[in-house]
Amino acid sequence: MHGGETTAYNPDYLRKQEKASIPVCNILGVDVAAIDMKWLVAYISGNLPELSGDYICVTNVHTVVTAYEDPEYRKVLNGGIMAIPDGGPLSSLGRRRGFPAMRRTTGPDLMGEIFRISVSQGYRHFFYGSTEETLGKLAERLEAAHGGIQIAGMYSPPFGPVSAAEDEEIVRLINEARADFVWVGLGAPKQERWMAEHQGKVKGLMVGVGAGFDYFAGNIKRAPEWMQRGNLEWVYRLMQEPGRLFGRYLHTNAVFIWRTLGESIKYIRKKPD
């Protein structure tokens, strides 16, 4: 500052400056964070108070293709702190495009890493989504695995639309819990839209983790390590829920392969000789 000038506090400007430090690989219009898990946990831990009220999207092939086809949803994915590469094909593509450090950072893995350090760091957690039965199992298993973990609150929202009055009550409930992390398990694209709508209203860092609640509650199992390493976890999920996922995967995987192939050809042509 010069000559006694003062700079007005502008949280939007500061957030843009903070986001500028995050390396991204643009895939079908979505700015996917070109990071690994170690970087992500260090970033969150080192900036947690400043991230309160904002959100992180957990992005895979399905959400990227959905965003490619829906510009409004694309704004949602690009409008938070970052969209992390949950899907293996995203990080693999990123490495081919010049981001050698880019690795898969799944929602459940991020939850596990944060839970592991929560007691020592004094982190408080709020879980929003799923069913009361799943939330109960989730709490029981977390407390057994991480003695002393602080579960500040849980809420299973109604299945249908929520009125303005009900939404205000939900926000009040979350904010009074004083949580550091607000884990949102509504499934994509609903959870990302909910976080964007509550950006700046909810206290705590919102993270949309999809089926993460079910994994930690023991309702569904993760794929074996060899399938995760080979970007085949989607096959394992498909075997578990073929009726729900077959049509989705058939469409989104085909669009992703076709469109990213076209992008890659353009990318190669633009590279200098």
Side-chain angles (χ1 to χ4, degrees):
M1 294 186 292
H2 302 282
E5 293 178 0
T6 59
T7 302
Y9 174 69
N10 186 334
D12 290 334
Y13 173 77
L14 293 177
R15 192 168 70 85
K16 288 177 181 177
Q17 293 296 100
E18 193 65 46
K19 285 186 67 175
S21 67
I22 302 172
V24 297
C25 177
N26 188 278
I27 301 176
L28 298 183
V30 177
D31 291 329
V32 182
I35 59 173
D36 61 17
M37 185 61 73
K38 182 179 179 181
W39 186 99
L40 178 59
V41 173
Y43 176 87
I44 292 174
S45 300
N47 297 280
L48 191 55
E50 291 77 20
L51 302 181
S52 180
D54 221 320
Y55 63 94
I56 290 175
C57 297
V58 175
T59 314
N60 54 30
V61 168
H62 168 62
T63 56
V64 165
V65 170
T66 301
Y68 173 77
E69 298 175 336
D70 182 349
E72 290 302 314
Y73 184 56
R74 193 183 318 146
K75 291 179 183 178
V76 168
L77 292 189
N78 290 335
I81 294 292
M82 69 181 100
I84 63 175
D86 177 276
L90 302 183
S91 55
S92 296
L93 182 61
R95 289 194 296 276
R96 291 198 297 271
R97 290 185 177 180
F99 297 92
M102 192 171 178
R103 293 292 184 274
R104 188 181 184 209
T105 54
T106 75
D109 286 342
L110 175 59
M111 294 174 79
E113 290 294 323
I114 296 298
F115 294 153
R116 184 176 58 82
I117 62 176
S118 285
V119 176
S120 62
Q121 297 297 318
Y123 292 153
R124 294 169 60 82
H125 303 274
F126 194 101
F127 297 88
Y128 179 80
S130 196
T131 64
E132 290 186 4
E133 179 183 4
T134 293
L135 291 177
K137 292 166 64 177
L138 173 62
E140 183 179 341
R141 291 170 68 98
L142 284 180
E143 289 165 353
H146 306 280
I149 192 168
Q150 298 185 63
I151 299 177
M154 296 182 149
Y155 188 83
S156 174
F159 179 76
V162 175
S163 69
E166 289 174 317
D167 187 68
E168 288 182 9
E169 180 62 21
I170 290 170
V171 170
R172 183 193 65 78
L173 181 68
I174 294 173
N175 290 346
E176 287 184 352
R178 298 180 292 107
D180 298 290
F181 292 89
V182 179
W183 304 100
V184 184
L186 300 175
K190 185 177 180 180
Q191 64 193 13
E192 290 79 25
R193 297 188 193 279
W194 187 90
M195 293 190 297
E197 290 169 359
H198 292 81
Q199 189 177 39
K201 300 177 183 177
V202 165
K203 296 177 182 178
L205 172 61
M206 295 175 280
V207 188
V209 291
F213 288 20
D214 285 314
Y215 285 128
F216 281 91
N219 293 341
I220 56 178
K221 294 182 179 180
R222 300 242 3 230
E225 286 290 334
W226 68 268
M227 295 188 79
Q228 295 183 44
R229 290 194 299 269
N231 295 343
L232 294 173
E233 190 161 13
W234 67 273
V235 177
Y236 191 81
R237 289 289 311 282
L238 179 60
M239 291 189 296
Q240 290 181 306
E241 301 179 87
R244 186 174 72 88
L245 297 178
F246 179 78
R248 174 201 293 184
Y249 286 165
L250 180 65
H251 171 73
T252 57
N253 287 7
V255 171
F256 182 81
I257 293 170
W258 178 252
R259 294 300 181 185
T260 55
L261 177 62
E263 279 192 349
S264 296
I265 292 173
K266 292 179 182 177
Y267 176 80
I268 293 172
R269 287 175 177 171
K270 288 180 180 179
K271 292 181 67 174
D273 296 331

